[in-house]
Amino acid sequence: HGATDRAEDGAVVHVGETRVLVTHVPCHTLGHVTYAVMDARAPCGSETLEHAIAMFTGDAIINGGVGAFFHGNAGDCYDNLHARLAPTPDTCLIFSGHEYMEMNLRFAKMLDDDDEITANAFYAILLHRHRDCATMPSSFRVERRLNPFFRCRDRAYLKRLLDKKLWFMERKRRPWWHRYVGAQGSRLAKQRARVIEQHPLAVRLREDAASESAAASRAAGVCGIDLVQELMSDSFASGASLKEGNEEEHDNFMLYARAMSAQGNVRVVPAELVG
């Protein structure tokens, strides 16, 4: 089909004088790769991701999230973000395969609704999209701070994900017959608490408790990525719209937009959403 070469992990492709490093990142598909544009000052013959100034990530990283796991799992996703692509500098720009940043940051805000940095970034992107502007490029600095799949290395964040799981459980509509034969009141609350206590992520975090590091173990991080996907399903099941938001979001956005206009802050740079 017009192909002249295979893209092998670690290969360097030359486009004129521009060097592009190939990295194999299996998860979305078995053969998924990223293409990292090298800094012109990087020594020839020893190109690494530490020299990347821009990366075309396809579905390995979609601004604010990641692509579906068609051929991989949470472990593959974790290894892509926290091992295979870990040497990439924060300044490296990200050009992903889809324009989903508004929806993805709406979800990220829902997962961590007390985080002002995520909320401000979301409303900035919402303002940007209302002007029909694209959110490309993002950056590794932005993704590492806002993207839930990147944040699954943070033990405190993982605990908040468990809290959000309990929140969804408490609001899940019960079958009508539970009024007659289902668990009631305090008994139901105890059942929910037991489910959270026995969740694989909670078990892993207890195993990590002796560590003084704020970073979670790989095992806990993988469980966290599984839970992020689970929470996305919970969100859709609850009737929440990740594409359009709700009335409260609209009111908050109008307040944000007016405040930004009054301050003269009318330009949004997605790659610089966080400092």
Side-chain angles (χ1 to χ4, degrees):
H1 302 288
T4 58
D5 295 284
R6 291 180 58 85
E8 302 287 351
D9 184 54
V12 176
V13 179
H14 293 264
V15 183
E17 296 183 357
T18 302
R19 289 168 291 157
V20 180
L21 178 65
V22 178
T23 303
H24 184 213
V25 285
C27 186
H28 182 65
T29 60
L30 290 177
H32 201 299
V33 298
T34 61
Y35 295 95
V37 178
M38 296 288 99
D39 189 321
R41 297 167 294 181
C44 292
S46 57
E47 293 85 358
T48 69
L49 288 176
E50 294 174 351
H51 304 127
I53 59 173
M55 185 179 294
F56 296 89
T57 60
D59 284 62
I61 302 171
I62 298 177
N63 296 357
V66 298
F69 299 171
F70 291 136
H71 294 166
N73 54 39
D76 296 316
C77 177
Y78 183 94
D79 290 340
N80 286 342
L81 303 183
H82 303 295
R84 298 183 181 102
L85 300 179
T88 311
D90 284 348
T91 53
C92 179
L93 301 178
I94 292 177
F95 295 86
S96 68
H98 300 277
E99 175 60 88
Y100 295 158
M101 197 170 197
E102 176 187 330
M103 182 176 70
N104 286 342
L105 289 191
R106 180 176 285 115
F107 178 59
K109 177 178 174 294
M110 183 205 70
L111 292 183
D112 196 4
D113 45 18
D114 290 330
D115 182 29
E116 292 184 3
I117 293 177
T118 298
N120 285 332
F122 166 65
Y123 287 120
I125 288 299
L126 199 56
L127 181 63
H128 201 54
R129 294 298 292 148
H130 270 253
R131 295 171 179 155
D132 292 327
C133 296
T135 62
M136 303 290 174
S138 179
S139 67
F140 270 83
R141 176 180 287 111
V142 167
E143 297 303 316
R144 284 167 175 153
R145 178 57 183 83
L146 302 178
N147 190 320
F149 295 90
F150 273 100
R151 296 185 71 189
C152 281
R153 284 197 71 192
D154 181 351
R155 291 168 64 185
Y157 182 72
L158 294 176
K159 292 176 182 178
R160 290 197 287 276
L161 293 182
L162 287 170
D163 291 340
K164 183 59 67 172
K165 179 63 180 178
L166 179 60
W167 185 88
F168 272 114
M169 292 174 63
E170 291 171 343
R171 285 155 182 78
K172 184 177 181 180
R173 181 174 295 180
R174 300 170 64 197
W176 64 268
W177 48 266
H178 273 208
R179 288 177 289 178
Y180 306 102
V181 297
Q184 301 296 319
S186 60
R187 181 183 171 193
L188 186 59
K190 289 179 181 178
Q191 288 179 355
R192 291 168 177 155
R194 192 177 305 114
V195 169
I196 296 299
E197 182 181 352
Q198 295 173 351
H199 193 282
L201 175 57
V203 173
R204 291 297 186 183
L205 288 175
R206 286 196 295 273
E207 292 174 353
D208 289 354
S211 171
E212 297 181 358
S213 172
S217 65
R218 179 187 182 279
V222 170
C223 288
I225 288 175
D226 274 329
L227 181 53
V228 168
Q229 293 193 303
E230 191 178 322
L231 289 168
M232 186 171 288
S233 297
D234 289 341
S235 175
F236 286 123
S238 72
S241 174
L242 295 180
K243 289 187 176 181
E244 299 178 0
N246 54 30
E247 186 174 344
E248 180 184 2
E249 176 191 298
H250 177 267
D251 292 342
N252 289 336
F253 170 66
M254 294 306 295
L255 291 173
Y256 176 88
R258 283 197 289 268
M260 292 299 101
S261 179
Q263 296 173 21
N265 294 334
V266 296
R267 182 169 177 263
V268 177
V269 182
E272 300 175 4
L273 286 174
V274 298

